């Protein structure tokens, strides 16, 4: 198991280090939900982000496992709706970086992995252990036919969050300022832009 894994945005301005001290530090999942596919299509780079069938590869962990080495000033938070997930984005090159709950203080972060990063990260982050929302998958060769590992992935999220709280690691969160607010500005994607980005098979 690798001790650290490096991640960048497409242009390299945002650099992130992921601490992976053991396999239980995170879970790699593949999400086929409508919102993840729509978010991937917002800036025309869906093919660089999505696996066959339209899956987003995400490593779920806790924020204390994340270090932002460079480019924090390029981060912004996008929401597909006023109550939507916080989708952290590098505006320098339109690259998704993280997903978090709107309550960023909760010890959960999903690190969004581009297809070009998967080979280099595979030894450190391991294979995908969960396929979720496959009913929304694109009808194409390689698309999954059923969900797998969803309950287990959810239980591991709860276990990591509990461990982060009880150990005090939840206090270490690079996505929050000292005042407890997100380090990046938040904006809601206009409805028309969201509708244009929604895949045809999900409209």
């Amino acid at each position: 198991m690798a001790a650290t894994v490096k991640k960048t945005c497409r242009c390299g301005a945002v650099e992130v280090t992921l601490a992976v001290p053991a396999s239980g530090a995170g879970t790699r999942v593949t999400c086929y939900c409508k919102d993840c596919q729509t978010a991937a299509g917002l800036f025309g780079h869906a093919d660089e982000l999505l696996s066959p069938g339209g899956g987003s590869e995400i490593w779920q962990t806790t924020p204390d496992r994340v270090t932002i080495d460079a480019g924090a000033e390029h981060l912004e938070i996008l929401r597909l709706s006023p109550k939507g997930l916080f989708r952290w984005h590098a505006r320098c090159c339109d690259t998704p970086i993280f997903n978090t709950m709107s309550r960023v203080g909760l010890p959960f972060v999903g690190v969004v992995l581009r297809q070009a990063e998967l080979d280099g990260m595979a030894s450190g982050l391991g294979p995908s252990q969960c396929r979720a929302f496959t009913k929304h998958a694109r009808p194409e060769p390689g698309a999954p036919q059923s969900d797998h590992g969803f309950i287990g992935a959810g239980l591991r999220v709860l276990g990591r969050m509990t461990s982060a709280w009880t150990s005090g690691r939840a206090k270490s969160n690079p996505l929050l300022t000292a005042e407890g607010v997100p380090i990046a500005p938040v904006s809601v994607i206009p409805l028309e832009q969201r509708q244009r980005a929604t895949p045809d098979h999900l409209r």
Side-chain angles (χ1 to χ4, degrees), residues 62 64-65 107 157-170:
T62 50
D64 60 286
R65 305 296 189 193
V157 166
L158 293 176
R160 283 190 298 269
M161 291 175 68
T162 300
S163 176
W165 273 316
T166 57
S167 68
R169 290 188 291 106

Side-chain angles (χ1 to χ4, degrees), residues 24-182:
T27 303
R28 188 172 144 198
V29 305
T30 309
C31 181
Y32 296 85
C33 79
K34 179 179 179 179
D35 281 357
C36 279
Q37 292 188 60
T38 298
L42 281 174
F43 301 100
H45 305 306
D47 289 344
E48 296 180 19
L49 294 167
L50 302 179
S51 59
S56 291
E57 302 292 336
I58 301 168
W59 189 61
Q60 297 178 335
T61 189
T62 50
D64 60 286
R65 305 296 189 193
V66 174
T67 300
I68 301 174
D69 301 308
E73 69 277 11
H74 297 299
L75 294 174
E76 64 179 344
I77 300 168
L78 304 178
R79 308 183 81 176
L80 294 180
S81 67
K83 295 184 179 181
L85 197 69
F86 274 20
R87 297 177 183 273
W88 297 67
H89 170 87
R91 58 174 171 258
C92 48
C93 55
D94 296 330
T95 304
I97 304 293
F98 309 121
N99 295 334
T100 67
M101 307 295 186
S102 57
R103 291 177 59 192
V104 183
L106 292 174
F108 169 85
V109 61
V111 182
V112 182
L113 311 176
R114 292 178 289 119
Q115 293 296 304
E117 296 176 306
L118 294 181
D119 288 344
M121 292 181 167
S123 61
L125 303 183
S128 178
Q129 300 179 50
C130 169
R131 299 188 303 268
F133 304 105
T134 55
K135 66 181 181 180
H136 295 150
R138 293 189 307 226
E140 63 185 17
Q145 301 302 308
S146 61
D147 288 1
H148 170 76
F150 186 80
I151 294 176
L155 291 175
R156 286 190 285 275
V157 166
L158 293 176
R160 283 190 298 269
M161 291 175 68
T162 300
S163 176
W165 273 316
T166 57
S167 68
R169 290 188 291 106
K171 296 178 181 178
S172 177
N173 189 334
L175 305 181
L176 294 177
T177 68
E179 291 73 33
V181 299

